[in-house]
Amino acid sequence: MEVRNKGRFVFWADAVADSAIEHARRNSMLMVTVKSGGSPSGGKHIGNMNDQIRAFFIYDALTRKGVRARLIYTNDDMDPLRTIPPSAPNGDGEWHFFTDQELATLEKHLGWPYSRIPDVFGCHRSWGEHFNSVIQDGLSRIGIVMENYDNSESYASGRFLEATRLTLSKTVLVREVLSRFQRNVEKNWIPFHPVCGNCGKITTTALSFDLGSETVEYECKGRVLAGKYVIKGCGHRGFSTLKEGKLPWRLEWVAQWKVFQVNAEPFGKDHYEGSWKSGQALAREVYGIEPPASLVYEFFLVNGEKMSSRKGNAYILHDLLKVLEPEVIKYLYTKRPMMQRNIDLKNLHLLVEEFDRFEESFFKGGSEEAARIYPAIVGKVPDRKPLRVSYLLASYVIQFYPVEEAYRSLVRAGVVKEEACEEDRERLLRRLVLAGNWLSMFADASKYVVKRELVEVDLNGFKQAFKELVEELSSLEEFKGEEIQNIIYSTARRHSIPSSSFFEKLYMVFTGRGSGPRLGYLLAALGKEHVVTRLKTLLQTP
Ligand SMILES: [Zn+2]
Ligand SMILES: [Zn+2]
């Protein structure tokens, strides 16, 4: 998570923020602008969200340094629809598989800019607005708000006009610079894509331009997008203004830096080799600006695989929010960016436990890392450590009881104090719900499931110890976690059984596997009657 600097901890966001401040100072800008951007191409998976969330942490670092800063987002909605995903999130962030009829309708819009494609879900004005709204909604649920700029609006309103004119006026230079980074830059290529007046596609080819009348003549020839998506043209020839089309991506990105006076922008490793290299040269040689401070991040894997909506393993923030608290999600994005992260959804409790320890280390003091990062995650630091219950324990308890009853079982078990405040209560209830969702959505069903039916466990060599344990447990007035834990230990010791083997046997009885959440608490939460009955039944089986 840290950048080591002579033994002192430096949060990566602070390092980028410092470069951004320096960038703004050199260029006499009074405000520091952090930008991220993206195409509203469908559901933006949590790997892609590195863009926006890392940008937020840079922005947050700037404000903590007392610098005037803003966090902006360009919704690149003039980009063409190049392929139709099999499924996409609806307005509430729930995945929907497109019907054959919807697919047929969308097929007609291949090559159209997202901002002009009707919203299949019918809740927004366009495809672009719909998917951008899902992105913004997911972010706002974890407390991130950005200033949004739709590219369609920026072109139509003339915000990009000056940059577009500048680009076209330097067409020869643009070709020369780009040809250093890309093969096949044609010698008569014009860096502008008008929207076809006949078929609506933005995959047209500019034939000539006239800066006096601000028009571009084009032919709708179609294009191969991203090297593999073939979009056919209708052959129409016509004229377009500079407000009815877009700059090619590599140029548009740099033009945005100029127009919005961008000082820092994070981007994925894929851009690092490609558009970032050409972008730096275009910035200096064509647009006369210095490229912003950058942050390159690595991708996320989920369960060890690359995410793809085609494979059905792409998850958006809304999916994560069903199983994780917003602070745990944000914590994930504070980790060192240049390392590939695997999000192990099957064992998600490990991530939550890591966060709980991190939070605890903040309140204990002494961790430079936690002292710097925790406040950025939670925004307003609470006066005292929020009460947490182990996610894994929650996941077991919720299998036994409805939410409210599960909460009461934790109070009975002594995990939660009777007088817990309303905020703590709400937080624990939420974790119980999240852990329950995790079980049904992601957890390995054979693993973290409380065995309702009796599990056959070989008690050879353990029988006497088990008998005494049942007696002691039956005699308890109060069935509390800490006490049960101690009784298990002392019983094992009395019988000279290694405590690890004794615990393993007991786990086998209740979870069907050799481990689980802290056993005393689990048994306490399951309740005396259940625990004693099960152990007695087991002892009676021959
Ligand atoms: Zn919609
Ligand atoms: Zn056309």
Side-chain angles (χ1 to χ4, degrees):
M1 168 164 324
E2 75 278 36
V3 180
R4 287 279 166 206
N5 183 6
K6 287 180 193 150
R8 201 172 65 85
F9 167 76
V10 179
F11 183 30
W12 57 263
D14 283 324
V16 184
D18 285 342
S19 307
I21 293 169
E22 185 51 31
H23 182 274
R25 197 189 53 77
R26 280 198 304 272
N27 294 287
S28 312
M29 296 173 187
L30 300 174
M31 163 100 83
V32 181
T33 302
V34 184
K35 170 190 171 309
S36 67
S39 287
S41 53
K44 276 280 171 219
H45 67 62
I46 49 179
N48 287 331
M49 296 309 286
N50 266 294
D51 243 65
Q52 296 84 348
I53 305 177
R54 301 237 181 225
F56 164 78
F57 282 114
I58 300 167
Y59 162 76
D60 180 79
L62 288 162
T63 58
R64 279 168 202 278
K65 290 173 195 287
V67 174
R68 260 188 83 207
R70 63 174 182 156
L71 177 63
I72 68 164
Y73 181 73
T74 58
N75 171 30
D76 298 345
D77 63 351
M78 284 300 276
D79 294 358
L81 173 66
R82 52 194 200 188
T83 176
I84 305 161
S87 62
N90 68 16
D92 299 321
E94 298 292 338
W95 288 90
H96 162 79
F97 276 88
F98 289 130
T99 62
D100 287 344
Q101 200 184 351
E102 286 164 341
L103 288 174
T105 311
L106 284 170
E107 198 83 30
K108 293 183 202 136
H109 297 296
L110 280 171
W112 280 42
Y114 294 120
S115 59
R116 300 198 185 192
I117 303 170
D119 178 6
V120 216
F121 297 97
C123 40
H124 297 85
R125 276 178 306 183
S126 67
W127 168 294
E129 197 179 298
H130 176 90
F131 290 110
N132 189 40
S133 134
V134 175
I135 293 173
Q136 307 296 336
D137 178 52
L139 286 169
S140 79
R141 291 186 197 200
I142 62 169
I144 296 177
V145 181
M146 313 177 293
E147 266 176 58
N148 179 76
Y149 292 93
D150 294 339
N151 272 356
S152 55
E153 190 273 335
S154 288
Y155 281 108
S157 68
R159 185 182 288 122
F160 284 174
L161 185 59
E162 212 37 58
T164 306
R165 286 180 58 98
L166 176 72
T167 311
L168 287 172
S169 74
K170 297 193 175 183
T171 294
V172 178
L173 179 61
V174 167
R175 283 182 207 140
E176 192 275 306
V177 174
L178 276 180
S179 60
R180 276 185 249 150
F181 304 92
Q182 284 181 295
R183 272 172 296 174
N184 315 327
V185 178
E186 287 172 34
K187 61 181 188 303
N188 54 357
W189 179 72
I190 293 168
F192 191 77
H193 300 302
V195 174
C196 175
N198 180 51
C199 72
K201 291 179 184 176
I202 195 168
T203 46
T204 56
T205 305
L207 303 172
S208 66
F209 63 90
D210 175 31
L211 288 179
S213 60
E214 294 182 344
T215 51
V216 176
E217 188 186 8
Y218 65 86
E219 185 177 344
C220 186
K221 288 185 182 172
R223 224 159 71 217
V224 179
L225 300 172
K228 53 179 168 181
Y229 305 106
V230 181
I231 308 288
K232 286 198 184 116
C234 72
H236 176 72
R237 275 174 86 130
F239 289 89
S240 145
T241 70
L242 300 186
K243 294 179 176 179
E244 301 164 297
K246 80 185 286 287
L247 292 167
W249 150 248
R250 283 179 187 248
L251 295 141
E252 185 178 83
W253 195 26
V254 184
Q256 288 171 341
W257 295 340
K258 184 178 171 77
V259 171
F260 295 108
Q261 305 214 327
V262 177
N263 304 106
E265 174 154 5
F267 48 83
K269 186 177 82 157
D270 52 337
H271 285 334
Y272 180 71
E273 284 303 321
S275 26
W276 172 241
K277 293 251 153 59
S278 60
Q280 293 175 88
L282 289 166
R284 294 192 178 104
E285 297 174 48
V286 175
Y287 296 93
I289 58 166
E290 206 193 312
S294 61
L295 173 81
V296 185
Y297 59 82
E298 261 281 4
F299 301 121
F300 280 174
L301 299 177
V302 162
N303 295 332
E305 291 185 329
K306 266 179 90 168
M307 274 177 277
S308 129
S309 58
R310 250 155 242 293
K311 279 195 289 177
N313 71 341
Y315 299 101
I316 59 172
L317 282 178
H318 297 74
D319 296 316
L320 278 195
L321 280 160
K322 287 180 184 151
V323 289
L324 293 175
E325 287 104 354
E327 52 271 34
V328 182
I329 297 177
K330 273 161 115 178
Y331 168 70
L332 187 61
Y333 293 87
T334 61
K335 295 178 174 226
R336 231 175 23 216
M338 265 317 278
M339 230 174 95
Q340 198 168 63
R341 304 264 160 213
N342 179 34
I343 302 172
D344 187 3
L345 291 173
K346 289 192 185 125
N347 297 295
L348 208 55
H349 60 288
L350 297 176
L351 173 68
V352 183
E353 282 162 15
E354 189 187 315
F355 171 79
D356 287 355
R357 285 194 301 271
F358 175 77
E359 182 174 63
E360 205 172 314
S361 72
F362 171 81
F363 284 95
K364 273 190 184 151
S367 158
E368 264 185 88
E369 234 174 283
R372 169 61 188 89
I373 296 171
Y374 183 74
I377 290 173
V378 294
K380 194 182 172 296
V381 175
D383 300 334
R384 50 179 190 81
K385 193 186 104 55
L387 181 63
R388 305 277 183 189
V389 54
S390 141
Y391 190 85
L392 194 58
L393 177 61
S395 78
Y396 277 102
V397 175
I398 198 68
Q399 296 175 50
F400 256 78
Y401 309 106
V403 183
E404 285 282 344
E405 182 57 27
Y407 179 82
R408 279 194 293 277
S409 82
L410 291 171
V411 175
R412 277 198 309 272
V415 178
V416 182
K417 288 212 173 65
E418 199 78 59
E419 63 278 7
C421 69
E422 193 50 34
E423 272 180 340
D424 281 340
R425 202 182 105 85
E426 290 292 324
R427 192 180 312 101
L428 293 198
L429 286 172
R430 185 165 60 159
R431 183 163 278 189
L432 285 162
V433 172
L434 296 172
N437 290 345
W438 170 63
L439 284 176
S440 55
M441 288 171 70
F442 300 122
D444 192 336
S446 65
K447 238 174 153 184
Y448 303 112
V449 176
V450 179
K451 300 293 171 198
R452 285 175 188 281
E453 71 288 3
L454 198 63
V455 184
E456 271 189 45
V457 180
D458 178 14
L459 289 184
N460 209 358
F462 287 81
K463 260 207 158 125
Q464 195 50 38
F466 263 63
K467 269 184 191 151
E468 283 176 29
L469 180 69
V470 180
E471 270 166 38
E472 273 202 67
L473 292 181
S474 321
S475 68
L476 285 177
E477 294 258 315
E478 280 191 315
F479 211 60
K480 299 274 186 202
E482 204 60 51
E483 204 175 345
I484 299 172
Q485 187 86 357
N486 290 336
I487 291 175
I488 301 172
Y489 271 115
S490 59
T491 309
R493 222 172 307 133
R494 231 176 18 252
H495 291 267
S496 306
I497 300 170
S499 57
S500 58
S501 338
F502 197 50
F503 272 88
E504 210 180 297
K505 280 280 176 216
L506 278 163
Y507 274 122
M508 285 302 295
V509 176
F510 291 96
T511 70
R513 54 199 293 268
S515 63
R518 207 146 176 240
L519 191 57
Y521 291 105
L522 176 65
L523 299 190
L526 295 181
K528 184 167 155 183
E529 203 196 315
H530 174 85
V531 171
V532 169
T533 311
R534 172 153 293 197
L535 289 173
K536 278 188 175 159
T537 318
L538 187 69
L539 282 165
Q540 279 155 15
T541 35

